[in-house]
Amino acid sequence: MQTGIVAAEADDTAIFNWRRTQLTPPSDLPSNPLQRAKALFPLLDPVASPHWADYVTHRLAAEKRADENMPSEYDPAYLDDYSRMIYDGVAEALKGESLQDGEWKAIADGVSFVGRDISQVSEMRLGHADILTRIHSPIFPHAVDVHLFYSSHIGGFTSSLMYALGFRILATPAPPQGQYLPKHQEVDKMHTARGWKQFGWFFIDEHESEHSACPVVRADLQRVHEVLFGAADSGNGLGARVSLRATARLLLASVGIKYTIAMTDQEKSRGDDEQTGGMLRHLLGGEKPGISASHLRKICGIAPLKGDDMADLTKVQVTAPEDDFGDDYDDEDDDDDDYDDEDDEMDEGDFASRGVVVPDSSEM
């Protein structure tokens, strides 16, 4: 199997199209592992390494999984909803960088959608997602795995929202996983072993309090950047032309989170998460979301913007609910006749302030 990409638009202000396509591999693939990798994948001046044979083996395995999750024979317009979010997000993450046409395509083509477990409540609302992707370097026999767990439940007075995002750097090739293990971990305990690192997590507890942290630090992003693109001080090399901000956006986009990380107050006025939308539109709600644009600006070296949260968001944040509804039910001697339904009813604003939106009755 050979992997390639359709042509991208040269104008970096436009969203370019990328698509993995399967071609018949040549019958006489080179015996040299590096040359074989160059024949199979769109690489960019790859470096010499003893690991290219394993890179070829494991990337082909990842591509096979990706073909099942994001079929390459389909036009992008016919991708399923979640695959389309990854497709659009990756394209958006690379806009504005100092990249040539072929470089855009090589980076985008390296994103392989290797694992998915998704349940949709409705066309535009996601109930559960367990997503695993692998981003292959176009220069080195390296890769980065990215995992997103997301769960949302809305029903009467019992609503929940939780998510965890993590990543794993592979400085030497390894077989792709079909799912993140172990399953059924609490979100604040995910991505803490076997080489995984936490990017951010969030949950609402039974008392409607928010718990969150965004543990990723600048050194983490720099390491991901170097593994995928090379050093930032590489002169005119790829590492010098892909920003740390784009690296963060690519990690998020690879699992379907189309995120802005605004650089100006005007951009922020439209919302750092204005592009997320779709099925993950609730993901970045909450007073202190686990994926924080304020924190990402800080670690990417972007000046803080008006209203940015200046707390140390790598530490656990706990935010109490705006209203305490429990007091209305604590006194068993309360006269039912004095109970005021209108005063105690949760409205959409109460839920929305904590990152959960009450659906229309048509969605129930």
Side-chain angles (χ1 to χ4, degrees), residues 320-360:
E322 292 182 358
D323 299 299
D324 185 356
F325 299 99
D327 292 342
D328 297 307
Y329 306 97
D330 288 342
D331 189 350
E332 295 181 358
D333 295 329
D334 282 351
D335 188 343
D336 289 342
D337 293 336
D338 295 331
Y339 183 80
D340 188 342
D341 288 326
E342 292 183 359
D343 290 341
D344 292 277
E345 183 180 1
M346 284 187 178
D347 61 21
E348 183 170 345
D350 293 323
F351 279 106
S353 68
R354 292 188 284 278
V356 181
V357 177
V358 176
D360 295 333

Side-chain angles (χ1 to χ4, degrees), residues 130 149 180-187 190:
D130 201 331
F149 173 82
Y180 171 82
L181 296 172
K183 297 176 75 70
H184 310 301
Q185 280 185 313
E186 295 177 343
V187 292
M190 285 185 174

Side-chain angles (χ1 to χ4, degrees), residues 1 20 58-71 112-116 132 175-179:
M1 181 181 72
R20 299 165 43 259
H58 300 317
R59 181 161 177 177
L60 286 175
E63 294 294 343
K64 183 177 180 180
R65 290 184 182 275
D67 285 337
E68 298 169 357
N69 293 315
M70 194 174 185
S112 298
F113 190 4
V114 297
R116 62 183 289 163
L132 188 62
Q177 295 178 264
Q179 61 181 355

Side-chain angles (χ1 to χ4, degrees), residues 10 39 49 58 122 197 215 250 252-253 303 322 330 335 362:
S49 169
H58 300 317
S122 65
K197 295 185 73 69
L250 182 62
L252 294 165
E322 292 182 358
D330 288 342
D335 188 343
S362 61

